[in-house]
Structure formats: C-alpha cells, structure tokens
C-alpha cells in the first residue's frame, strides 16, 4: 500500500480512485489545484462498502455538495458498522462548506443504525470552512456517540458571538476528546465565558485545547481557570 499526493501535474483523479478500488492506496491527498468535487466524492462513495484500504482522505479546498456529503457520510457509516471501513482521517470541503455541509455529513452518519457510534474516523479536519455554532453542535453530537473520534480541527472558523444573543450550546461539549483545535476562531470574552465551562465540565475535558490567536481577555481567561479547577 502507498500514499498519493494528487497535484495539478498528476494523472486524472479517476486513475487514483481506480487504484483505491484495487486497494493499492492507503492515503489520498488532493491539493486544491486538482479538480475534486461532488462527482469524484460520489465515486469514492460508490466503492466504500467494498472494504477499501483508504485510511486518509485529505481533499480540503474543494467544493462538494451537501447531498454528496450526506451520501458519503452514509457510506462511511455502513462500512464502519460492517467493519469494512479503515478511514481514520478526513479533511473535506472548501471555505464555503458552512454549517450545512457539516450537518449533512453528520446526518449521513446518523442515517445508519449504529453508524455514528461505530464511525471509523479518529480525526476530522474542518479548518477554515465557514463553520459556526450549528456545525460545532453537529460535531459535538457525533463526538457524544463515536467510540473512536478523538480530534477535530476547527481552527480559522469564526465563533464570534453577537452581543446579547444566547448561544444554543449543550451543557457538556466534546467529552473524552484528546485534541480540539480552536485557534484563530475569533473567540472573545463573552463566548469564552459560555464555552469553557462546557469544554472543561465534570465529564472530562479534552486533553489538548488549542486557543492561540483568540482575544479571550481577562474574563475569558478567568472562565478558563475556573472551569479547569472544577
């Protein structure tokens, strides 16, 4: 098994998908300069239940439809429940993915009984995908169910709270996580005071929470310290 970086000078993406179907590739990295969209994702979806050996799909920077994301999520769920999925790391979508794209993928996982619980993914990279509270909550629902998901990268998304608007967040978020990246997310004091008690609650905090390049202020830092002291 080998890994492949698909660049603008590489052969057709179809040729690489053919190699995945033949179990000749373990990791596929598709750079933004190469065409990869809903049709290509649907091709992967069609072969996913065949027990392919793909462990990493890194296709960040490519626009894919919500319907294609739902179908892919459902295929991952079916393969995970049957024990055929080896996919561990996923980066998908472009900067317009948004909450709707995240919800579509997660809904696809939940569309299969036991799909979210058995999901083979251990890490999801959704950096710079225009994700807000809706997408964060969808990922948290998956985190509550999944036995394997331990890391999510949400860096460079904006969670800037509108003053006076109460955010619909659950009481405990991302329990049992090992790594949650919230760097460069425009987290300010008010959101920090709402978020941190939920991240560092009694259910066990993420082992690593990355918060660089956020302006949490003294109030946010105080909320962080108080939450961790519980």
């Amino acid at each position: 098994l080998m890994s492949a970086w698909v660049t603008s000078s590489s052969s057709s993406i179809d040729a690489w998908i053919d190699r995945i179907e033949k179990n000749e590739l373990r990791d596929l990295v598709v750079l933004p300069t190469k065409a990869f969209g809903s049709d290509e994702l649907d091709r992967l979806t069609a072969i996913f239940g065949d027990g392919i050996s793909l462990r990493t799909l890194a296709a960040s920077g490519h626009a894919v439809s919500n319907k294609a994301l739902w179908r892919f999520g459902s295929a991952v769920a079916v393969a995970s429940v049957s024990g055929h999925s080896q996919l561990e790391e996923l980066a998908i979508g472009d900067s317009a993915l948004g909450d709707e794209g995240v919800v579509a993928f997660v809904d696809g996982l939940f569309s299969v009984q036991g799909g979210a619980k058995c999901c083979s993914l251990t890490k999801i990279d959704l950096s710079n995908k225009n994700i807000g509270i809706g997408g964060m909550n969808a990922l948290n629902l998956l985190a509550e169910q999944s036995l394997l998901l331990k890391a999510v990268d949400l860096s460079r998304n904006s969670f800037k709270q509108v003053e006076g608007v109460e955010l619909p967040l659950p009481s405990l978020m991302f329990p049992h996580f090992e790594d949650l990246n919230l760097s460069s997310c425009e987290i300010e004091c008010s959101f920090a005071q709402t978020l941190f008690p939920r991240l560092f609650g009694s259910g066990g905090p993420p082992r690593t929470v990355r918060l660089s390049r956020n302006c949490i202020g003294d109030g946010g830092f105080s909320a962080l310290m108080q939450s961790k002291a519980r």
Side-chain angles (χ1 to χ4, degrees):
L1 295 176
M2 62 174 289
S3 303
W5 286 65
V6 184
T7 67
S8 57
S9 59
S10 298
S11 57
S12 167
I13 186 67
D14 290 337
W16 292 110
I17 294 177
D18 287 340
R19 296 191 65 181
I20 292 172
E21 188 171 15
K22 296 174 183 176
N23 281 327
E24 296 177 354
L25 285 181
R26 181 179 63 184
D27 307 298
L28 182 64
V29 179
V30 187
L31 298 185
T33 51
K34 192 67 178 177
F36 184 94
S38 299
D39 290 343
E40 289 74 22
L41 186 59
D42 280 338
R43 277 209 61 196
L44 279 177
T45 297
I47 65 175
F48 213 83
D50 298 334
I52 58 175
S53 300
L54 188 67
R55 293 186 182 179
T56 302
L57 173 60
S60 188
H62 300 276
V64 289
S65 71
N66 294 342
K67 290 182 178 180
L69 286 164
W70 187 94
R71 290 190 290 266
F72 184 63
S74 182
V76 172
V78 170
S80 295
V81 169
S82 66
H84 289 154
S85 175
Q86 297 187 37
L87 187 65
E88 297 177 355
E89 297 189 12
L90 174 67
I92 196 76
D94 64 358
S95 59
L97 179 73
D99 291 345
E100 295 82 1
V102 178
V103 169
F105 176 70
V106 172
D107 281 353
L109 290 170
F110 274 96
S111 70
V112 177
Q113 185 173 3
K117 182 178 181 179
C118 298
C119 179
S120 61
L121 289 168
T122 62
K123 179 180 179 180
I124 300 176
D125 181 352
L126 293 171
S127 175
N128 191 30
K129 298 295 184 291
N130 194 31
I131 295 170
I133 300 303
M136 178 185 278
N137 281 339
L139 289 167
N140 184 62
L141 286 175
L142 177 59
E144 289 176 347
Q145 293 291 319
S146 175
L147 298 174
L148 297 175
L149 185 61
K150 297 298 182 183
V152 168
D153 186 347
L154 288 172
S155 62
R156 297 193 294 156
N157 290 292
S158 178
F159 298 109
K160 190 171 184 178
Q161 184 175 4
V162 178
E163 194 68 33
V165 176
E166 186 172 347
L167 297 174
L169 295 176
S171 58
L172 181 63
M173 300 192 69
F174 299 104
H176 319 303
F177 257 44
E178 294 180 359
D179 195 332
L180 179 63
N181 192 346
L182 294 172
S183 300
S184 301
C185 285
E186 298 185 325
I187 296 175
E188 297 179 343
C189 179
S190 57
F191 184 50
Q193 291 173 328
T194 301
L195 178 65
F196 292 161
R198 290 161 168 79
L199 284 180
F200 300 95
S202 59
R207 185 172 300 169
T208 301
V209 179
R210 305 174 192 276
L211 292 165
S212 61
R213 296 183 295 279
N214 288 295
C215 298
I216 65 173
D218 292 342
F221 183 76
S222 177
L224 175 62
M225 293 296 100
Q226 291 175 15
S227 300
K228 288 178 67 66
R230 290 182 180 180

